[in-house]
Amino acid sequence: DTGVSQNPRHKITKRGQNVTFRCDPISEHNRLYWYRQTLGQGPEFLTYFQNEAQLEKSRLLSDRFSAERPKGSFSTLEIQRTEQGDSAMYLCAREGQAPGGELFFGEGSRLTVL
Amino acid sequence: SQQGEEDPQALSIQEGENATMNCSYKTSINNLQWYRQNSGRGLVHLILIRSNEREKHSGRLRVTLDTSKKSSSLLITASRAADTASYFCATAGDYKLSFGAGTTVTVRA
């Protein structure tokens, strides 16, 4: 158990619909990361939070994407007006004890856009 | 963009054999980490090696790091069927990890 819970595990949606993913880390007030992984590729950084502050967003995160972490606990990633290219696994990770050290990943939320 | 590149992309070995995979990266790092991912699952941290270390062991895993060549290797000894997975190297800068495309390892019984 990595102490990171993600919901839903799978989401199938039609193009143009909005989807929201939720990440619940076991510990609060440390860094939380979102990554996207497409088939056959490694995870790509999307964004990260230090407590409730979103400190960096990747260029991959278009204006259709928004992430929040209210109160520095759980986080949500919303994709508006989904496109087929958004189909991927969305991974959430929490930082371990040491900054810049290991990350603990959730099982991911797989999105399929039809 | 992905910082690291793993080689080979895929590896098939017999149970009991050793598996070696390599990672090359481009920029300076604080540390380098290796992760495993079973199909359809999240990533699991295996081992971390700091930029001032050259070799590290953990159980059947051995990791080397050559910062002058910007490369690392992961050796899994005495492989088991349960080692079948994708393996990723990840380089740590100031605040985030950058992953390579991974090596898919298949261990045949």
Side-chain angles (χ1 to χ4, degrees):
Chain A
D1 183 10
T2 61
V4 180
S5 176
Q6 290 189 247
N7 290 287
R9 289 292 312 281
H10 299 95
K11 179 72 176 179
I12 300 173
T13 191
K14 293 182 179 179
R15 189 175 52 187
Q17 297 295 305
N18 299 343
V19 296
T20 299
F21 301 114
R22 177 174 169 129
C23 173
D24 285 90
I26 192 171
S27 56
E28 301 180 356
H29 307 298
N30 60 3
R31 291 176 182 166
L32 183 146
Y33 297 80
W34 284 97
Y35 283 82
R36 183 176 73 183
Q37 185 179 25
T38 54
L39 201 61
Q41 298 299 313
E44 294 176 294
F45 171 80
L46 291 179
T47 188
Y48 90 101
F49 293 83
Q50 174 73 53
N51 298 327
E52 66 273 14
Q54 186 175 19
L55 297 185
E56 183 177 337
K57 296 195 299 183
S58 161
R59 287 171 292 177
L60 294 174
L61 222 60
S62 74
D63 56 6
R64 296 185 297 105
F65 288 71
S66 63
E68 294 182 341
R69 193 184 184 197
K71 302 179 183 179
S73 55
F74 71 92
S75 177
T76 59
L77 177 68
E78 180 183 16
I79 309 173
Q80 295 183 326
R81 305 182 303 281
T82 53
E83 302 172 355
Q84 287 186 326
D86 296 332
S87 296
M89 175 81 90
Y90 291 86
L91 294 161
C92 176
R94 67 175 179 90
E95 191 171 53
Q97 291 183 346
E102 64 182 304
L103 294 184
F104 295 91
F105 283 84
E107 293 287 5
S109 292
R110 179 167 294 284
L111 173 64
T112 301
V113 182
L114 302 176
Chain B
S1 64
Q2 304 201 293
Q3 157 83 303
E5 290 185 7
E6 285 93 341
D7 172 60
Q9 288 186 333
L11 184 60
S12 180
I13 56 174
Q14 200 74 31
E15 202 166 26
E17 293 180 339
N18 296 342
T20 300
M21 58 210 86
N22 304 296
C23 169
S24 59
Y25 58 93
K26 299 173 184 175
T27 62
S28 61
I29 59 172
N30 292 328
N31 64 67
L32 186 144
Q33 303 176 33
W34 286 90
Y35 288 78
R36 184 187 72 215
Q37 185 179 36
N38 291 89
S39 182
R41 307 294 296 273
L43 282 79
V44 175
H45 180 265
L46 294 176
I47 194 165
L48 180 153
I49 186 165
R50 302 188 190 287
S51 59
N52 61 355
E53 296 177 311
R54 292 296 168 259
E55 187 171 314
K56 201 162 184 180
H57 297 254
S58 176
R60 295 184 295 113
L61 305 180
R62 173 179 169 254
V63 169
T64 63
L65 179 64
D66 186 336
T67 53
S68 67
K69 296 181 179 178
K70 291 187 168 57
S71 67
S72 174
S73 68
L74 172 67
L75 167 68
I76 305 173
T77 61
S79 62
R80 306 166 181 169
D83 295 328
T84 294
S86 292
Y87 292 82
F88 297 91
C89 70
T91 52
D94 289 337
Y95 55 84
K96 68 182 181 187
L97 293 183
S98 299
F99 289 84
T103 294
T104 299
V105 175
T106 302
V107 181
R108 307 185 306 273

